[in-house]
Structure formats: structure tokens, C-alpha cells
Amino acid sequence: NKFKATCFSERKSEGIGNSQKMNVLYRFWSFFLRQNFNKNMYKDFRRTALEDARSGAARYGIECLFRFYSYGLEKKFRQDIFDNFQEDTLDDVKHSHMYGLEKFWALLHYAPNKEYKVKDELQ
């Protein structure tokens, strides 16, 4: 869509972490996908947030992604998305960040009635 293209263009020209429009898009994805899951939109969200985080220049996208995981999975559980949550949490911890782990714990704590298949590394 046109807005997404504008955001990606600004991200490229301003540099990772310097685009306010990209932050708006991350916030939009985080909320919208909880109610209206779209596989392609989710893939764009995850890919871009992980790129930003791995660059070391920006954490906002990955933090929005972790909020989507935690609150979205509490609302509607999807095993494939939960598996991504675990993978991204472990990667975040490996890079000395705890935000993903906090959101992962929150999901397990506040929605304990789910049958989660949690990886040993996160037990």
C-alpha cells in the first residue's frame, strides 16, 4: 500500500531508527494484527522489526513485535506465531536484551490456561 511504501522509503533515506513514519507503521501493525491477522502483513512486520533490531540502531520495531506476540497470542493463540515468539525471544536474550523475555513471561503468566509448548531454553 501507499503508506507502507512511504514508510519504507523514509526508513531507507533517514536510516534505521530515524523514521517517525516507520514508528507509526510498527504501532499500527502491532495493534491491527491482533484483531485482523494477515500472514503477509505479519511477515513484513517481523522481517523489518528483526532487521532494525539486528542493526543495533533501533529497538522500537522489535518492541512492538513483542507486544503483538504477547497481547495477540493472549487473544487468539496460533502455534506458528508462538514458535516465532520463542525464537525471537531467544535471539533477543542472546543479544543481551530482556524485553522479549518480559513479554514472553507476561503471556505465560496472564494467560496460563493455554497449552503452550515452551522450548526448554525458556522454561
Side-chain angles (χ1 to χ4, degrees):
N1 87 27
K2 194 173 187 176
F3 181 67
K4 182 178 108 176
T6 301
C7 295
F8 276 61
S9 176
E10 184 178 279
R11 176 180 178 254
K12 186 176 182 179
S13 67
E14 301 291 323
I16 290 175
N18 297 317
S19 168
Q20 289 305 309
K21 287 182 180 159
M22 200 65 217
N23 288 347
V24 170
L25 183 58
Y26 281 133
R27 204 165 30 254
F28 167 77
W29 278 336
S30 180
F31 284 95
F32 182 83
L33 289 169
R34 294 176 202 177
Q35 299 285 340
N36 309 282
F37 188 78
N38 175 293
K39 190 80 164 172
N40 289 331
M41 188 181 289
Y42 165 71
K43 285 180 181 180
D44 283 343
F45 180 20
R46 183 174 185 237
R47 177 184 48 78
T48 309
L50 291 173
E51 281 176 10
D52 285 6
R54 289 176 182 149
S55 77
R59 299 269 315 153
Y60 189 74
I62 195 85
E63 290 175 1
C64 285
L65 181 65
F66 285 131
R67 285 190 291 276
F68 158 73
Y69 284 146
S70 187
Y71 301 120
L73 289 168
E74 184 177 354
K75 199 167 243 338
K76 176 153 176 45
F77 185 77
R78 291 175 170 82
Q79 187 62 51
D80 59 333
I81 304 302
F82 183 72
D83 292 343
N84 289 160
F85 190 9
Q86 292 186 87
E87 182 181 323
D88 296 344
T89 297
L90 288 169
D91 189 58
D92 206 44
V93 169
K94 186 173 101 178
H95 290 94
S96 303
H97 297 286
M98 294 295 134
Y99 191 79
L101 190 58
E102 290 170 11
K103 289 299 176 189
F104 189 78
W105 178 87
L107 174 66
L108 299 182
H109 182 75
Y110 292 111
N113 57 341
K114 307 283 186 199
E115 294 289 326
Y116 301 117
K117 296 176 186 164
V118 178
K119 291 183 178 191
D120 290 342
E121 302 93 330
L122 290 168
Q123 293 283 349

